[in-house]
Amino acid sequence: MSHAFRLLLSLVVALACGAAAAAAPASVFLEELTWTELRDQVKEGSTTVIVPIGGTEQNGPAMVLGKHNLRAKVLAGRIASGLGHTLVAPVVAYVPEGAVNPPTAHMRYAGTITIPDAAFETTLEYTARSLRQHGFKDIVLVGDHGGYQTNMKRVAERLNREWAHGPARVHALEDYYRAFNDEYRALLKGKGLRDDEIGTHAGLADVALSLAVDPQLVRSERLASTGAGEGATGDARRATAALGQLGADLIVGRSIEAIRRALARR
C-alpha cells in the first residue's frame, strides 16, 4: 500500500467519522452536554426539563441500593425522547428514608442514606430555581419512590405561587408513580399473578421493572432465598424482564400523556 493511498484512506475515514459524529443526536441528559450545547438547545425550544428523583435505600437481598436512581434516569430519558424538546437533569439520589438514630423504615438496613424532609425540599426547590434561571419554562418532578410524593407536590405548589406571574412552572408528576403503584399492579393481577407475589417493596412488580430497565440491578440467584425480615415484601421468583417491560411502557406512556396535558394548559 503506497504512502499516498494510506493518506487518502485516513482522510476518508476521518471524514466519515466526523460526519457520523455530526449526525449523532444530542443527548437528552444535562450532565452529558456542555454549557453552550445546553444554552443552544434551550434557545432552540427545549424548555421542558425532567428532574428524576430516586433514592438510595435497601431493596432486599436481590436488588441493588441504587435501583431507584438508575430506573428514574432511564425512564426519564425515555419520557424526554418521547416528548421531544425535553431534557433530563441529574438524578436526585438523596431523599428522606427514615430516622437515623434510632433507625426507622429503610434505615434499619445497611446502605440506606436518608436526609431530612426540609433538606430534600430545599434541594428540589433550588434545583428548580437553577433550571428556571437557565431558561427552562416547565420543570417536571418525577419520583420513582412513593415516600416523597407529598414533598414534591409541596415544593411545586410553593414555587408556583411565587412564580404566578412569570413564565416558569413546576409540575409534580403524580402520574409516573401512579402508573407503577396502581395501574401496573392491576395489570399484573390481570395476568394471574397474586398480591402476595406482586408485593409492595422488592416484590415481583419491583423486580420485574428493574429487570426490564437493567438486568444488572437484580441478583436473580438470590430471589428464591428472600424471606421475612430481609427488607422485601412479595415473592419475585416469577419476575421477568418481559413482565417488567409492560410496566416500563405504561409508566413512560402515562407520563408523556400527563406532561403533554400540563403543557397544553400552559
Side-chain angles (χ1 to χ4, degrees), residues 20-185:
S27 173
V28 297
F29 297 105
L30 260 67
E31 54 202 326
E32 296 177 5
L33 301 172
T34 69
W35 81 265
T36 54
E37 289 169 342
L38 175 61
R39 176 201 61 195
D40 293 345
Q41 286 207 43
V42 171
K43 284 182 178 178
E44 291 165 7
S46 294
T47 57
T48 299
V49 61
I50 298 171
V51 179
I53 307 165
T56 305
E57 66 176 24
Q58 72 84 18
N59 288 291
M63 270 197 300
V64 302
L65 292 157
K67 168 204 78 180
H68 282 304
N69 300 325
L70 191 122
R71 255 184 10 199
K73 179 175 182 177
V74 169
L75 295 176
R78 293 179 189 174
I79 294 165
S81 297
L83 283 168
H85 297 293
T86 302
L87 298 173
V88 180
V91 175
V92 178
Y94 300 102
V95 307
E97 294 282 9
V100 174
N101 189 18
T104 62
H106 294 304
M107 281 300 297
R108 294 172 296 148
Y109 301 88
T112 302
I113 299 174
T114 192
I115 63 173
D117 286 61
F120 175 63
E121 290 187 18
T122 300
T123 298
L124 295 186
E125 176 188 338
Y126 276 85
T127 298
R129 290 187 186 278
S130 299
L131 295 167
R132 175 179 180 263
Q133 177 65 27
H134 302 316
F136 289 103
K137 296 179 180 178
D138 289 282
I139 301 157
V140 184
L141 307 180
V142 166
D144 201 68
H145 185 303
Y148 46 66
Q149 300 293 315
T150 299
N151 303 84
M152 289 166 42
K153 289 174 61 179
R154 197 152 49 219
V155 170
E157 290 167 359
R158 187 161 61 238
L159 287 175
N160 288 335
R161 283 195 300 271
E162 180 182 333
W163 298 346
H165 303 294
R169 301 291 289 171
V170 180
H171 311 274
L173 195 74
E174 297 176 88
D175 301 72
Y176 176 103
Y177 189 71
R178 186 182 298 123
F180 169 75
N181 198 51
D182 299 337
E183 294 185 69
Y184 179 41
R185 294 178 190 280

Side-chain angles (χ1 to χ4, degrees), residues 183-194 197-198 204 238 240 242-247:
E183 294 185 69
Y184 179 41
R185 294 178 190 280
L187 186 154
L188 292 174
K189 287 179 70 174
K191 292 188 171 296
L193 294 160
R194 306 184 310 273
E197 289 181 288
I198 294 168
L204 186 145
R238 289 206 286 167
T240 65
L243 286 173
Q245 191 59 49
L246 297 174

